[in-house]
Amino acid sequence: MSHPAVPLPPDEILVAGEWRRGTGAASETVDPADGGVITEIHHATADDVDEAVRRGAEAAASPAWRDLLPHERARHLHRIADGIERDADRLANLQTRDTGKTLRETSALVASAAGTFRYVAGALETFDDELTTQRGPSLTMSVHEPIGVVGAIVPWNSPVASDAQKIAPALAAGNAVVLKPAEWTPLVSLALGRIITDSGLPAGLLSVLPGAGSVVGEVIVTHPGVGKVSFTGGTSTGRRIAHAAAEKLMPVSLELGGKSPTVVFEDADIDAAINGILFGIFSSSGQSCIAGSRLFVAESLRDDFVERLVAKTRALRVGHGLDPLTQVAPLVHHKHRDSVAQHVERARAEGGRVLTGGQAPEGAAYERGAFYLPTIIDELPNTAATCQEEIFGPVLAVLGFKDEDDLVAQANDSAFGLACGLWTRDYRTAWRVARRIDAGTVWINTYKQFSSSTPFGGMKESGLGREKGRGWIAAYSRQKSLYWGLSDSPHPWAG
Ligand code: NAD
């Protein structure tokens, strides 16, 4: 199919409000649907990071930003949301080209980015400092202050939405932000940066610095001027960042990987469960931290359920992200597709039986793209590497369970604890199991739903801290206590 031209961001990075060519090496961004080069972006260097942090700190300390009242800062956030909404089609198209995702998904991510700015703006208007209960001759208060410069490091799977989830609360709290997009997908973050600078945000408050994690990312994390890092990405990178943060005693929030269990109980609404499970693992081609990649099915249902699931999986439309009928788009990069394929080979070597998929689709339309068929694997125990490691692709492992205790033990036998899905008509079963599973989010008779007002984050190796909800802005603030002495007489201690 032919694709409409999308205006591409120029080869410029954003250093504290100033657009200019990066002083690092040129890097090609590739369209995963056909392997073609989209454009070239020169990366940032350590010097660019240093300048971004230094000038970001100045901008955050300037009265033009520091002295704004919450409702005035909220106005800036609304203006950014207006800009995102105005440019929604272009952003979604750009993100589809850069990440391969379907236009339906990228449009939803763009809408979510605008929604994030609006929710945070609203929350900021009612982000109250606190008068604490008086317990002595002082009036006591707890107030929030900006941290200064926040480093925001994001992965390639949902850039515009994950960028917004860090930029909006960090700005709301009065900080400057240095954003580092992933190497494979810098384009939509640069386009978002342009919208933000055009919105009239005081110069210097935002930098967008594409580059390698080992260069730009590490310099952001270790820079003495960066007071917090908010990271979304893989668990091993998160652990490395946590070590570096410990050296500086810097707060860090980590949204990491997952291997989320989805459970179908005997009394489940089968049609709803099948659709929810397919959406949970195969939308975004499984490149989702919350993908429901381990499926536990009650023994009495298992054969029929799996047969129906396989039949529906085979009917999913694999294709180009711009084709409105596509359900499963290419993976983000050919290298990532090859890594998913290797995971499936290992599953076979472990004794897994591939019920469907297990290879790239055949045919001229798929030849040059990073496609992989939605894959279901049976006959592996939960202890197999396939069921323990995050694959981050369209690969589902089917497992069984004897009873509720066995289910909980297997579901929790994982290094991760990000999400879980439960399909049952019995609210008591759902309540009991939801409370016993190690997961930051449990979906009951639904899956992969998000709300800005509901905290999101992981347990165990899925992360530290929460995004969204009423605590969102506080997470980017420093807390300070004020004591206002009320006594008219001098303190008796000094006589
Ligand atoms: P990644 O960890 O390889 O990279 C994420 C970001 O970190 C990139 O920008 C990368 O350049 C940067 N980075 C790499 N090494 C770094 C270092 N030493 N110091 C600083 N920055 C560094 O992850 P990825 O492959 O881009 O993304 C996939 C992972 O992200 C998956 O594990 C997925 O589960 C996770 N993820 C988690 C969530 C969540 O909210 N929990 C959401 C989306 C993705």
Side-chain angles (χ1 to χ4, degrees), residues 49-99:
V49 176
D50 186 55
E51 186 179 338
V53 174
R54 218 168 6 87
R55 289 178 40 209
E58 284 163 18
S62 143
W65 187 240
R66 188 195 59 203
D67 292 350
L68 285 189
L69 296 171
H71 69 281
E72 294 167 330
R73 277 210 296 273
R75 236 177 266 147
H76 279 287
L77 301 182
H78 278 301
R79 261 182 236 132
I80 295 170
D82 293 342
I84 295 172
E85 283 164 357
R86 251 193 321 269
D87 232 0
D89 288 347
R90 184 175 76 98
L91 290 171
N93 269 280
L94 196 56
Q95 180 144 337
T96 288
R97 286 204 68 190
D98 216 8
T99 63

Side-chain angles (χ1 to χ4, degrees), residues 144-165:
H144 292 90
E145 296 187 349
I147 291 168
V149 179
V150 169
I153 301 178
V154 295
W156 43 256
N157 61 326
S158 308
V160 76
S162 45
D163 298 352
Q165 282 168 25

Side-chain angles (χ1 to χ4, degrees), residues 69-75 77-78 114-129 144 168-173 452-454 467-477:
L69 296 171
H71 69 281
E72 294 167 330
R73 277 210 296 273
R75 236 177 266 147
L77 301 182
H78 278 301
T116 292
F117 277 95
R118 295 219 188 276
Y119 173 83
V120 173
L124 180 56
E125 296 240 19
T126 55
F127 182 52
D128 292 335
D129 286 327
H144 292 90
L171 289 179
S452 290
S453 54
T454 309
E467 293 191 329
K468 307 177 191 276
R470 301 293 296 181
W472 214 350
I473 301 171
Y476 290 86
S477 310

Side-chain angles (χ1 to χ4, degrees), residues 186-201:
L187 300 184
V188 82
S189 304
L190 290 168
L192 176 65
R194 192 73 68 162
I195 287 169
I196 295 178
T197 51
D198 288 352
S199 74
L201 190 76

Side-chain angles (χ1 to χ4, degrees), residues 151 153 155 166 221 228-246 250-257 289 417-418 456-467 475-476:
I153 301 178
K166 298 184 186 317
V221 174
K228 168 171 177 143
V229 164
S230 177
F231 172 78
T232 300
T235 293
S236 59
T237 315
R239 189 175 279 116
R240 200 182 162 106
I241 289 175
H243 277 291
M250 170 182 72
V252 63
S253 73
L254 303 171
E255 297 287 350
L256 308 177
C289 53
L418 193 57
F456 177 80
M459 294 180 177
K460 303 198 293 196
E461 292 189 17
S462 290
L464 287 177
R466 293 289 177 268
E467 293 191 329
Y476 290 86

Side-chain angles (χ1 to χ4, degrees), residues 7 34 43 46 66 88 164 201 204 233 261 277 281-282 288 294 336 340 393 424 427 444:
D34 58 16
H43 280 178
R66 188 195 59 203
L201 190 76
I277 287 156
I281 180 65
F282 296 133
S288 169
R294 289 186 295 152
H336 184 56
V340 169
T424 172
Y427 68 89
I444 298 137

